[in-house]
Amino acid sequence: MNQIEEYESLAQISDQEAEALCQTLRRRVIQVVSKTGGHLASNLGVVELTVAIHRVYDTSRDRLVFDVGHQCYVHKMLTGRNGRMETLRSFGGIAGFPKPAESVHDACIAGHASTAVSTALGMAVARTRLGENYRVVALLGDGSLTGGLAYEGLSMAGQSGEPMVVILNDNGMSIDASMGGVAQHLAKQRLKPQYLRGKEIYRKAMRATPPGRALYQGIHRLKEGIKASLLPCSMFENMGFQYMGPVDGHDVKGLTRLLRYAAAVDGPVLLHVKTVKGKGFPPAEKCPDEFHGIGPLAREGSGAPAAGKGSESFSTRFGRELVRLAQADERICAITAAMTSGTGLADFAKAFPQRFFDVGIAEEHAASMAAGMAKQGLVPVFAVYSTFFQRSYDMLIHDIAIDHLHAVFCVDRAGLVGDDGETHHGLFDPGYLQTVPGITVLSPASLGELGDMLRQAIYETPGPVAVRYPRGGEGPYRENHSGPPACCLREGRDLTLVSFGTLTGTVLAVADRLEREGISAEVIKLNQIVPLPTREVLASVEKTGRLLVAQECVSMGSPGAGLLAAVAARGIALQGSVLCSCGEGFVPHGTVPQLRALCGLDVESLTKKAREVLSYGREEAVGRPAH
């Protein structure tokens, strides 16, 4: 692996050495992801492209902006982190996405789609305004072009005139393909290095004098007219980019030459690169979607996942329940934002293709589309990850809440999600959803409760409704106490414990441990977190005089904060209280048990906090995890 570590010499290596390096890197990616899990197919598809970028750009100064960022493993290997790749996505180890705190070579955080061009343009503008000298390149996949933000960035970047390169990694969709033999021949000629060099020399010479500039403009208009009659117009050229492509994304020699030319152009360039997702690993090439994000493999390069528990997840139970409900109600439609399998909707898509809508990476559009469907009598069910649902906030207020439309939002990956880290934890939806007038938010703690709450959301609750549930399967709590907004699972006299979602099982375990110490804890489970049901909690704390709230979300605007405010408003003088949450910032990556322990939400930490509350006199304490 010494070849990978020689980053400083990468700009000077020969084409033959670059090709050998690509083979080494591809083997290394398979080796690492086989052990750690992660994004396999996307990283295998950009090996040559990443090497070519690093042959041309110095990413310690030049700015390489990833879109989504799950394809950054090779970049990390080439920037001094190869020796730590076995810690990929593990607690305290290398992140699965670009992370500036990890390396100066990571230009910015990236975990969501369609943002790269806008961010890169901002960096290019800053460079120009501050008179600095560095280059800017944005790397995005064709999937990111299903998000409207990508086009907002492209539109302004093309018209800005700022020198920057946008690399479109096209591994699936065809964009403005040239038609006919003449068109294909001209496209190839336009990408030859000698043509590109000659074009640049000609452009500089003609722009050197006023007569030359006038002649250049006349010839340019004539050339564009001839080209338009032979080649289909590229939308990127209409936006103002110099378009180059499509080119072979696995030819490291050709890519390097084109990038050197593109980096020297005084204006925006779009390089259209065709790649094969999963390149070099037959199982991933055959089924790239299945190998997009994977767990550890049974053995290195086997293509078979390591043995798991195989228990049913909240996502699969949701999909199964929605199919069952849709069989009896033709009004029910399902929407997803490029997450058909991830949200459990694959069976629904097969069973009801006319009622299933994958809008791509366009959560804003999905929410507004749901508003239109609801307005005209359908029952739209939008299944979306919590962290991506943040993008729909404006549409949720403006398009849905104002008209009090009945749309159902099934918020998957709520709470701590584990190894994807800060960009994917679903910790903010309880806070921002409680600001939406008229919305109801339900929080099942078991698979059985999920099914009942989904039916409740569709048939019994007016207006917008969100049902939030975590990644993976249920915890030790597997009962079904859905129905009332809140319920008492266990009576007690010394302390009130409140929670919701799958933390319910943890809180019950804390109550069991306290009971063995002679402490009687009352456990209240919130089935609904918006509007916040306070009656049961207030009645309990009036009896016990002490309150501990455990919640897997940030503390700001949380249900726990609302309960403490309700207690204060009622004038109840608590002898002690503590709010245990995920703090007020961002939580890193790691396994969910590790992160719960970090945030003080495991059985041991909550039991310790409960003892502290019991030891207080009449002082109130607010517990925050130490990050």
Side-chain angles (χ1 to χ4, degrees):
M1 295 302 160
N2 290 335
Q3 187 180 19
I4 297 176
E5 302 290 355
E6 294 173 359
Y7 172 76
E8 293 298 330
S9 64
L10 195 57
Q12 286 79 41
I13 64 174
S14 68
D15 292 335
Q16 292 75 21
E17 290 172 323
E19 290 171 356
L21 175 60
C22 290
Q23 296 307 312
T24 301
L25 287 163
R26 186 163 274 112
R27 289 192 298 269
R28 178 66 169 152
V29 168
I30 295 171
Q31 176 193 44
V32 168
V33 180
S34 293
K35 295 178 180 178
T36 67
H39 293 95
L40 181 60
S42 52
N43 281 282
L44 292 176
V46 297
V47 172
E48 288 81 7
L49 180 55
T50 307
V51 170
I53 289 171
H54 280 278
R55 294 180 75 189
V56 176
Y57 294 92
D58 174 6
T59 55
S60 68
R61 179 167 177 78
D62 296 328
R63 301 288 75 189
L64 170 59
V65 184
F66 286 91
D67 206 284
V68 180
H70 57 248
Q71 75 280 49
C72 70
Y73 297 0
V74 176
H75 163 74
K76 294 198 173 196
M77 292 174 184
L78 292 173
T79 53
R81 286 166 280 183
N82 181 50
R84 296 186 63 204
M85 289 304 291
E86 275 74 15
T87 71
L88 180 70
R89 299 178 0 130
S90 63
F91 187 62
I94 294 293
F97 297 91
K99 194 170 184 178
E102 214 174 76
S103 172
V104 69
H105 295 276
D106 292 359
C108 57
I109 196 75
H112 292 185
S114 309
T115 65
V117 179
S118 298
T119 303
L121 175 59
M123 291 178 170
V125 169
R127 172 199 59 202
T128 300
R129 298 279 73 79
L130 297 175
E132 297 182 348
N133 182 27
Y134 56 86
R135 297 172 295 183
V136 179
V137 56
L139 173 60
L140 68 157
D142 52 19
S144 293
L145 289 184
T146 61
L149 178 59
Y151 295 94
E152 295 174 26
L154 287 166
S155 177
M156 187 170 183
Q159 297 301 317
S160 71
E162 288 286 350
M164 59 182 292
V165 177
V166 176
I167 302 173
L168 173 59
N169 175 29
D170 180 358
N171 55 33
M173 61 185 287
S174 176
I175 301 175
D176 290 336
S178 300
M179 302 299 292
V182 174
Q184 292 177 15
H185 175 73
L186 288 176
K188 290 179 180 178
Q189 295 303 312
R190 293 169 68 205
L191 293 174
K192 287 186 175 181
Q194 54 267 42
Y195 168 80
L196 295 174
R197 285 195 298 270
K199 182 178 179 179
E200 191 62 23
I201 293 171
Y202 159 76
R203 180 183 289 137
K204 289 180 179 178
M206 296 297 284
R207 288 179 174 176
T209 63
R213 287 194 291 272
L215 180 60
Y216 174 83
Q217 290 297 328
I219 295 173
H220 179 72
R221 285 192 293 269
L222 176 63
K223 183 188 71 174
E224 289 298 306
I226 296 172
K227 185 176 72 174
S229 68
L230 296 173
L231 289 170
C233 185
S234 163
M235 64 176 179
F236 303 115
E237 290 177 310
N238 284 341
M239 289 178 174
F241 286 91
Q242 179 173 328
Y243 174 78
M244 300 168 58
V247 298
D248 181 3
H250 299 295
D251 175 8
V252 68
K253 175 182 177 181
L255 284 171
T256 302
R257 291 179 179 176
L258 286 172
L259 280 172
R260 283 173 179 156
Y261 169 79
V265 172
D266 186 20
V269 176
L270 189 135
L271 176 60
H272 182 177
V273 176
K274 301 281 285 187
T275 62
V276 175
K277 201 170 184 180
K279 177 73 172 179
F281 186 51
E285 287 191 38
K286 183 179 179 181
C287 302
D289 289 345
E290 293 180 14
F291 284 86
H292 172 72
I294 63 171
L297 299 179
R299 62 181 185 281
E300 183 181 324
S302 68
K309 296 181 180 179
S311 59
E312 186 176 22
S313 70
F314 277 90
S315 301
T316 54
R317 175 63 68 91
F318 155 71
R320 185 155 60 86
E321 291 292 331
L322 191 64
V323 168
R324 184 176 62 82
L325 293 171
Q327 287 171 341
D329 190 342
E330 294 186 355
R331 299 174 305 151
I332 295 175
C333 298
I335 305 172
T336 184
M339 290 290 176
T340 302
S341 298
T343 57
L345 286 175
D347 289 341
F348 189 102
K350 294 176 183 177
F352 309 106
Q354 301 305 313
R355 289 193 269 158
F356 172 75
F357 304 91
D358 185 345
V359 301
I361 305 173
E363 291 83 5
E364 303 97 322
H365 162 61
S368 291
M369 181 180 176
M373 296 167 82
K375 186 72 174 179
Q376 298 306 117
L378 294 177
V379 181
V381 179
F382 177 22
V384 57
Y385 290 7
S386 169
T387 185
F388 302 145
F389 192 30
Q390 295 162 185
R391 296 179 159 204
S392 302
Y393 182 66
D394 177 57
M395 293 73 197
L396 185 57
I397 292 175
H398 182 272
D399 299 339
I400 294 171
I402 292 177
D403 272 351
H404 200 59
L405 297 176
H406 182 53
V408 178
F409 301 91
C410 291
V411 186
D412 202 329
R413 269 59 169 184
L416 296 165
V417 299
D419 43 27
D420 282 334
E422 296 98 322
T423 59
H424 285 64
H425 292 313
L427 304 179
F428 299 96
D429 62 273
Y432 69 75
L433 289 178
Q434 62 96 19
T435 68
V436 179
I439 196 170
T440 301
V441 182
L442 306 175
S443 182
S446 66
L447 296 177
E449 289 184 353
L450 172 61
D452 285 354
M453 289 187 186
L454 180 60
R455 172 176 283 278
Q456 178 184 340
I458 291 175
Y459 292 114
E460 300 174 17
T461 310
V465 190
V467 183
R468 66 184 308 270
Y469 44 90
R471 179 184 188 182
E474 59 189 356
Y477 172 84
R478 302 191 175 187
E479 301 174 32
N480 188 341
H481 291 278
S482 60
C487 60
C488 179
L489 297 182
R490 180 174 183 154
E491 294 187 354
R493 63 182 181 277
D494 298 325
L495 169 69
T496 299
L497 303 177
V498 180
S499 192
F500 56 91
T502 53
L503 266 184
T504 299
T506 304
V507 169
L508 285 169
V510 171
D512 288 338
R513 187 173 291 192
L514 292 173
E515 184 178 38
R516 291 194 291 270
E517 300 175 12
I519 300 168
S520 175
E522 186 154 284
V523 178
I524 305 294
K525 182 171 84 73
L526 304 180
N527 292 324
Q528 176 181 300
I529 61 173
V530 180
L532 191 61
T534 59
R535 182 173 59 85
E536 292 83 357
V537 176
L538 292 176
S540 179
V541 296
E542 283 181 330
K543 176 175 58 174
T544 67
R546 295 177 175 88
L547 173 64
L548 183 151
V549 182
Q551 53 185 10
E552 203 169 287
C553 60
V554 295
S555 56
M556 296 176 288
S558 65
L563 290 175
L564 290 175
V567 169
R570 177 66 69 88
I572 301 173
L574 290 174
Q575 293 178 326
S577 67
V578 63
L579 173 57
C580 300
S581 69
C582 295
E584 297 181 356
F586 299 97
V587 180
H589 59 277
T591 67
V592 171
Q594 287 172 329
L595 299 180
R596 282 187 172 180
L598 175 69
C599 294
L601 294 173
D602 59 324
V603 173
E604 189 67 39
S605 299
L606 290 174
T607 302
K608 181 179 179 181
K609 284 294 182 182
R611 294 192 192 105
E612 291 177 7
V613 172
L614 289 161
S615 69
Y616 294 156
R618 301 187 64 85
E619 296 178 354
E620 179 174 300
V622 177
R624 292 186 177 90
H627 284 257

